[in-house]
Every structure is written in structure tokens, then in C-alpha cells.
Amino acid sequence: MNWGKGIVLTMVAFMLFIVTMVYFMFTAPVDDYDHQYYEKGLTFDKDYNQEVQVYKDHVVPLIKSDADNLKVAFAQQITSGKVTLGRPSDYTMDRVYNLKLNAQNELIIPLEKVSKGHWLLVFNWESNHKKYLYQHGINLK
């Protein structure tokens, strides 16, 4: 075998490699990506300012959980808001609750239909004409 045949065989092997990679690229499943990526980037400053406002005003919600309920105590009366109970591993399990507080400024979320495991709580609320955003990870057992 001479060097010319070696070059041709190397080029054929490389071309087969490229064609194989192109085939796998076009038959691979579509990647899940965030379709709202750019819009979220544009609103980042607004969300960041709302998160900072929680600590400036010392209104971090106090979160306690037991076997039956998740109790969230707020430092002040809330005008309006919602809490999202998000499952990082499966977004189809996410739940959204309106913030309806009792007389002690507490929100009680029943956990009988909520799976055990890691959840992300995202609180959006308005109080005293200020908007707040707070996120907290929790493991439910």
C-alpha cells in the first residue's frame, strides 16, 4: 500500500464520519429550550429589583411545612399576589395559588395532592403599593 491509497482511505473514512454525524444531527429529538429567553432577559432588572425590595423592607415570608399543610406567614397585609409551587423535574406538576391570607397573615396550602420531593416556591405579591418577588426551594417529605 502506498501513501496515496492511505490518504484516499483516510478521506473516505472522514467523509463517512461527517455524513454519519449529519444523519444523527437531523434525527435527534428537538432540544427543549426556553422560548421566552429574550423576554425574560429584558425583564430581569424588574424581577431583581422586586427580589431586593423583599430584603430592604424585611418582609421575607416564614415558611413551615408539616405532613398535611404548608404554612407561609407574611410580615404585613398583602393587597394581591400569587404563589407558584414549581417542580423543577417536571413542569407539568406545577401549581399556582392566589394569596388569600387568614387573620394571622398566613397562607395555608394543603399538601394532600402534592408529590413528595423538591419544589420551588415563587411568591409574587403587592403590599403597600410595592411589588415583591421571593423564591425559596423546599423539600416536602
Side-chain angles (χ1 to χ4, degrees):
M1 180 195 259
N2 62 17
W3 61 272
K5 289 181 182 176
I7 290 175
V8 169
L9 286 175
T10 304
M11 285 178 41
V12 167
F14 182 71
M15 296 290 274
L16 283 174
F17 172 74
I18 295 297
V19 168
T20 305
M21 288 297 114
V22 168
Y23 171 76
F24 283 124
M25 181 182 72
F26 283 113
T27 59
V30 178
D31 289 338
D32 284 336
Y33 64 94
D34 191 357
H35 295 282
Q36 301 296 322
Y37 177 78
Y38 295 106
E39 289 80 4
K40 287 180 181 177
L42 294 173
T43 63
F44 176 79
D45 287 339
K46 180 184 76 147
D47 293 342
Y48 177 76
N49 291 336
Q50 289 176 0
E51 287 179 3
V52 169
Q53 194 66 44
V54 170
Y55 295 101
K56 282 182 183 177
D57 293 347
H58 306 289
V59 292
V60 175
L62 179 62
I63 303 167
K64 294 180 184 177
S65 66
D66 57 25
D68 299 327
N69 296 315
L70 182 68
K71 294 180 183 179
V72 183
F74 290 88
Q76 51 188 249
Q77 193 65 25
I78 291 177
T79 309
S80 64
K82 67 178 182 171
V83 59
T84 303
L85 193 60
R87 182 75 174 220
S89 62
D90 186 5
Y91 69 90
T92 60
M93 298 173 71
D94 291 0
R95 301 172 187 273
V96 178
Y97 300 95
N98 289 325
L99 292 179
K100 295 180 182 175
L101 306 182
N102 60 16
Q104 293 82 23
N105 283 343
E106 288 182 333
L107 171 68
I108 298 175
I109 300 173
L111 297 177
E112 67 249 0
K113 294 182 181 178
V114 177
S115 299
K116 307 302 181 206
H118 185 70
W119 291 87
L120 179 65
L121 298 169
V122 180
F123 297 93
N124 286 302
W125 76 93
E126 186 173 342
S127 179
N128 296 331
H129 305 290
K130 292 182 183 177
K131 293 186 177 186
Y132 299 100
L133 174 66
Y134 180 71
Q135 298 183 27
H136 182 74
I138 189 169
N139 282 315
L140 299 176
K141 297 179 182 179

